[in-house]
Amino acid sequence: MPFFLDIAHPGQPSSRFELPAGTYTIGRSEACKIRLRHAEISERHALLTLRESLVTIEDLHSSNGTTIDGVPIQEVAPVHEDDVVGVGPCLLRVSRVPAGSPPPLPTAPPATPKTGAPAVRAHADVPGGTPAAGEARETTRAHRPQAEAVVDPLAAVVREIKNQIHRELIQRLDLKRMTATRIGTDELQAKAREAIRTIIAEVRRNQKLPVGIDPQRLEKEIYDEAMRLGPLEDFLADESITEIMVNGPDQVYVERNGKLELSGQTFMDDDSVLGVIERIVAPIGRRIDESQPYVDARLPDGSRVNAIIAPLSLTGPCITIRKFTKIPLTVDDLIRFGTWTRSASDFLRICVIMRKNIVVAGGTGSGKTSLLNVLSSFIPPTDRIVTIEDAAELRLGQPHVIRLEARPPNIEGRGAVPIRDLVRNSLRMRPDRVIIGECRGGEALDMLQAMNTGHDGSLTTVHANSPRDVISRLETMVLMSGMELPSRAIREQIASAIDLVVHESRLSDGSRKVVCISEVVGLEGQQIIMQDLFEFKQTGIDDKGKVLGRFMPTGAMPTFYEHLKSRGLHIDPAVFDPSKQGGEA
């Protein structure tokens, strides 16, 4: 007869799992067979032994101790069916009777987290555990906070089966040897898929595949984790998802329509996440290891990737992917999304053609790079364009584009080529336009000098909270270059170099909008003078939480308006008249 293990987490009703005889390590670590994810559970907390003749529990020198009926234990202690075992703040009971017979396990009191302790989900992973009653699982789901993922015990079984098949796949194919012999990618993938299909067929013939597991789905998941990007493949294919956040192997969030949601997908273990990171960074010559535990990279479609691992990440390997659309956004797309209006896009097109230096500003995730890509599309095809980025993301359609990408240091800490060096080098490449993906350091000084020495028509992005905040941010970044310049000299450089600041923001409903277009007029005394040409005025929020408002001209005319005729360009003065413009955005 199998054993039944009841587990009650702090402030929650108990869940039941069926376990065969054996030895089970209890703790917060990935290596534990019974994993209780709570801040007050030690990495290896206790050792539970289930035998036909005797059940014992042993405390493994944990921080918060192990008890039987409230009495702390110091060594191996026998556990009877009526005993309540305390593992930190969680309560356990082991029984040999069918579901429903033993008295209910008392609910563990809500644990008071220690000051500064991270909020950790408190639930159990029990390999092979199955609920004794479906009603118990539904009750647990109803009482858990909405933000928490409900653990389906079947997931633990699937995870273990995937682990076993994955190990068998590696043994049969010897993937490392095949890769080293430079076998073709298509051939390697075909062999892997065939081997996975064969292994699953063997498992089914031996009747070791539990009922309810779809063999085809299992084959796809194992193939994706072994050869591709695992659970991320489906998210990358879903066009409604704009961002993917992997917080360790057991938690994957996605952003859909500007809102975060827990996906329910998981990886097999930390090694699976690390494998995905390696497959992302290796093709572009980047690396990640203990000496360089974080990296910026990109996917083949241009999507931006950041990864960070232990020892810096305490929750396991983390991946953040900001997806790019497969088809670059156009002016009409941004108008349809309500990002800007036709009048604003026409004005900015004229500014790009007139070779005005433009800074796109905004917060993280506000859509600066996408907007920069659209503005870059206004550059005439006859111009020679040099783009400079940390991770190449821009996708320009012009025929004469040189793409430069910064390089991180190698394993010896040498060979780094920062953006600042690329900016200097680009000026010797006879560019008509220089586009810097993002200014975040000393390269700001070189960019300003380039704009002031004949390389007008340049574009870049800056993290800032408002158009006027761009000025102080640029001042700070110039000082980061190591040049001891007086404040007035820096402001003179900025006022002379920058013509327009386009500020974009992500609003409360998740929409991204251009909220202000400002012109840098000049310098008066110690103060840089700016005037807003267009601005978004929020009027309210509708019943569905959508932000309402109008993107309107302020009535101010750009100081260079009279120069349009000399360039053979024209824009209707009504564009800047608030009484003749406006619309819901």
Side-chain angles (χ1 to χ4, degrees):
M1 183 181 294
F3 292 90
F4 293 93
L5 176 66
D6 293 275
I7 303 176
H9 302 289
Q12 299 175 8
S14 63
S15 301
R16 171 162 294 170
F17 304 92
E18 183 178 324
L19 298 176
T23 301
Y24 298 86
T25 309
I26 304 173
R28 204 173 69 232
S29 170
E30 280 278 352
C32 294
K33 293 184 178 180
I34 300 177
R35 190 178 179 198
L36 302 177
R37 279 177 276 183
H38 192 282
E40 296 183 25
I41 300 290
S42 298
E43 291 291 312
R44 296 180 74 254
H45 198 110
L47 187 66
L48 177 66
T49 302
L50 305 178
R51 296 193 183 95
E52 292 295 327
S53 58
L54 182 66
V55 175
T56 61
I57 187 81
E58 178 184 0
D59 185 74
L60 300 178
H61 307 288
S62 63
S63 300
N64 294 304
T66 304
T67 64
I68 295 181
D69 292 334
V71 179
I73 62 172
Q74 304 297 331
E75 52 188 19
V76 179
V79 179
H80 303 98
E81 289 203 0
D82 294 334
D83 291 340
V84 176
V85 178
V87 178
C90 299
L91 302 181
L92 285 68
R93 176 187 281 132
V94 179
S95 60
R96 298 293 304 272
V97 292
S101 298
L105 191 66
T107 301
T112 304
K114 298 178 181 178
T115 304
V120 181
R121 289 183 303 169
H123 63 252
D125 290 342
V126 182
T130 55
E135 293 77 13
R137 186 170 66 245
E138 293 301 321
T139 303
T140 303
R141 181 180 290 111
H143 284 81
R144 291 194 179 199
Q146 267 191 334
E148 289 189 356
V150 179
V151 175
D152 183 355
L154 183 62
V157 180
V158 174
R159 176 178 297 183
E160 183 61 26
I161 291 174
K162 287 167 65 176
N163 277 330
Q164 294 175 3
I165 295 177
H166 193 268
R167 288 193 293 269
E168 182 68 19
L169 175 67
I170 292 175
Q171 290 178 359
R172 294 193 184 188
L173 287 186
D174 194 358
L175 295 178
K176 291 184 178 180
R177 181 183 59 79
M178 284 190 171
T179 304
T181 56
R182 299 189 180 277
I183 185 174
T185 302
D186 293 340
E187 184 180 354
L188 178 61
Q189 292 178 348
K191 287 180 177 295
R193 191 177 288 278
E194 181 182 352
I196 293 170
R197 193 175 294 120
T198 301
I199 296 170
I200 292 178
E202 292 175 2
V203 173
R204 295 183 68 187
R205 279 197 302 271
N206 295 330
Q207 297 183 349
K208 293 183 178 180
L209 191 67
V211 177
I213 297 179
D214 182 2
Q216 293 183 343
R217 178 68 182 176
L218 182 63
E219 176 189 333
K220 179 183 182 301
E221 290 178 356
I222 295 173
Y223 175 78
D224 285 345
E225 291 210 22
M227 306 301 299
R228 303 171 73 188
L229 301 184
L232 304 186
E233 289 292 338
D234 291 338
F235 300 141
L236 291 171
D238 188 342
E239 294 186 2
S240 67
I241 293 175
T242 54
E243 199 140 3
I244 305 167
M245 289 142 281
V246 179
N247 306 332
D250 304 309
Q251 192 181 68
V252 181
Y253 279 88
V254 297
E255 181 188 71
R256 185 181 274 114
N257 301 321
K259 302 294 184 181
L260 292 182
E261 57 184 64
L262 188 61
S263 68
Q265 288 282 4
T266 61
F267 288 81
M268 288 189 290
D269 49 31
D270 283 354
D271 289 339
S272 294
V273 186
L274 288 170
V276 167
I277 296 174
E278 288 290 345
R279 284 192 283 275
I280 292 173
V281 303
I284 61 172
R286 304 272 170 121
R287 67 182 181 86
I288 187 167
D289 49 42
E290 286 190 3
S291 62
Q292 180 66 40
Y294 56 88
V295 67
D296 288 316
R298 68 179 187 278
L299 297 177
D301 65 356
S303 296
R304 183 187 309 173
V305 181
N306 175 269
I308 186 167
I309 64 174
L312 300 187
S313 172
L314 303 181
T315 58
C318 295
I319 308 173
T320 306
I321 300 177
R322 183 166 298 161
K323 285 178 57 182
F324 273 22
T325 55
K326 292 181 174 59
I327 301 175
L329 296 177
T330 64
V331 173
D332 293 334
D333 289 331
L334 297 188
I335 293 173
R336 189 174 70 254
F337 298 154
T339 301
W340 60 9
T341 61
R342 177 69 64 183
S343 298
S345 65
D346 290 344
F347 170 68
L348 289 175
R349 177 185 279 108
I350 293 292
C351 292
V352 172
I353 294 174
M354 288 184 67
R355 303 181 68 86
K356 296 298 179 183
N357 295 321
I358 301 175
V359 175
V360 178
T364 300
S366 59
K368 299 186 298 297
T369 303
S370 297
L371 182 59
L372 180 65
N373 216 53
V374 174
L375 292 177
S376 301
S377 68
F378 298 152
I379 298 175
T382 54
D383 285 359
R384 175 178 169 88
I385 306 168
V386 178
T387 67
I388 303 167
E389 302 173 85
D390 256 335
E393 300 168 356
L394 294 173
R395 291 177 287 177
L396 276 64
Q398 289 86 344
H400 200 165
V401 179
I402 309 298
R403 305 175 72 200
L404 305 180
E405 184 179 56
R407 186 176 72 183
N410 60 20
I411 195 169
E412 297 175 348
R414 302 175 183 174
V417 181
I419 281 186
R420 188 174 185 187
D421 290 352
L422 294 180
V423 173
R424 291 174 179 171
N425 185 78
S426 70
L427 303 183
R428 304 185 186 99
M429 299 174 66
R430 198 262 176 215
D432 289 310
R433 311 272 186 153
V434 177
I435 302 176
I436 303 176
E438 182 178 344
C439 269
R440 58 164 66 94
E443 65 271 8
L445 176 60
D446 301 284
M447 179 197 69
L448 293 174
Q449 289 180 326
M451 290 177 173
N452 281 321
T453 55
H455 297 89
D456 50 357
S458 298
L459 305 172
T460 188
T461 70
V462 171
H463 276 85
N465 297 321
S466 68
R468 284 160 182 79
D469 188 41
V470 172
I471 306 303
S472 60
R473 287 276 295 140
L474 286 173
E475 283 188 61
T476 302
M477 288 188 287
V478 168
L479 293 174
M480 292 169 64
S481 68
M483 300 291 290
E484 297 293 335
L485 297 175
S487 179
R488 180 176 175 81
I490 297 174
R491 291 179 183 178
E492 285 177 349
Q493 288 274 328
I494 295 173
S496 176
I498 306 298
D499 295 306
L500 289 172
V501 176
V502 181
H503 189 258
E504 190 172 13
S505 181
R506 182 165 64 173
L507 305 183
S508 58
D509 60 353
S511 62
R512 295 165 172 84
K513 295 184 184 295
V514 174
V515 295
C516 190
I517 300 177
S518 299
E519 180 190 10
V520 178
V521 178
L523 186 67
E524 287 188 6
Q526 295 287 335
Q527 189 69 31
I528 291 180
I529 305 302
M530 303 178 69
Q531 67 171 357
D532 295 340
L533 303 178
F534 297 86
E535 63 180 353
F536 177 77
K537 294 184 177 180
Q538 184 172 336
T539 58
I541 298 177
D542 67 10
D543 296 338
K544 297 181 179 179
K546 183 175 183 285
V547 172
L548 304 177
R550 291 174 177 270
F551 188 77
M552 299 283 292
T554 62
M557 294 285 287
T559 57
F560 53 84
Y561 182 78
E562 294 300 326
H563 297 163
L564 291 173
K565 293 181 181 179
S566 64
R567 297 290 302 273
L569 302 171
H570 174 73
I571 187 169
D572 191 347
V575 167
F576 307 101
D577 187 348
S579 65
K580 298 179 181 179
Q581 296 291 327
E584 290 297 325

